Amino acid sequence: AARAQSDVDSLSAEALVREMSVLHPEQRRRWARWTVHRETGRRVRRRARGFNQSETLAAFLAERFLLHFSNTHLVRNRATPPQATIDNPEERIQNVTDCFAVISPSNISGRDILLVDDVCTTGATLDAGAHVLKQAGASRVSAIVVARG
């Protein structure tokens, strides 16, 4: 069953980057609560490619805007078929329901989280990740994606 409301705050990537890019370094302190996470990819794909594009993007954003970066707190706790192989939006939601977990919730609690992913089609993967981050105590979860598909 689909969640009635998304756990991802609606903050456009354009608005976020614009707001962050004009900040003077001293003003960036207000972003100190933000932690940048990459959406967890499948290990098989990472091994095949030799890198995780979402992780590369997340690390770049964190470095560029002086934000904390983590690639260890949000983890996939079970293997799932790639979302791209599933056409039905409801099946995509079911595919990623309960497939993420948060390691060390104390590192998430009270923080604002920026999830970074390469492609967003239905938003099911981002929403599933945001859901567990909010359950772990994140104050806010926003997402930035490179492409909508």
Side-chain angles (χ1 to χ4, degrees):
R3 281 188 282 284
Q5 180 179 340
S6 175
D7 286 302
V8 179
D9 283 353
S10 59
L11 178 64
S12 75
E14 182 180 321
L16 178 69
V17 171
R18 184 175 52 248
E19 185 176 342
M20 292 173 74
S21 66
V22 298
L23 295 177
H24 194 272
E26 288 84 29
Q27 293 172 310
R28 290 185 180 154
R29 284 190 310 246
R30 85 180 193 111
W31 291 93
R33 288 179 23 166
W34 282 85
T35 298
V36 179
H37 284 265
R38 52 85 174 109
E39 189 60 77
T40 60
R42 297 172 68 233
R43 289 183 189 155
V44 172
R45 280 197 185 161
R46 182 184 179 128
R47 271 184 255 142
R49 287 186 192 128
F51 68 99
N52 176 317
Q53 63 274 20
S54 296
E55 184 173 329
T56 302
L57 292 165
F60 170 79
L61 286 171
E63 182 179 333
R64 170 70 174 88
F65 297 111
L66 306 175
L67 303 173
H68 180 259
F69 170 70
S70 173
N71 63 355
T72 59
H73 298 307
L74 181 65
V75 297
R76 204 174 268 268
N77 60 16
R78 67 179 170 84
T80 59
Q83 291 286 79
T85 65
I86 303 169
D87 292 328
N88 183 302
E90 193 65 32
E91 289 176 19
R92 283 177 174 239
I93 292 168
Q94 286 301 314
N95 187 46
V96 292
T97 297
D98 298 327
C99 81
F100 296 112
V102 171
I103 305 299
S104 303
S106 61
N107 291 323
I108 299 299
S109 184
R111 296 195 68 90
D112 294 325
I113 307 296
L114 178 63
L115 278 176
V116 178
D117 205 354
D118 55 347
V119 177
C120 175
T121 304
T122 62
T125 305
L126 288 168
D127 194 47
H131 183 72
V132 297
L133 288 164
K134 294 284 275 196
Q135 284 183 322
S139 294
R140 177 168 63 165
V141 179
S142 296
I144 188 169
V145 298
V146 174
R148 291 276 305 180

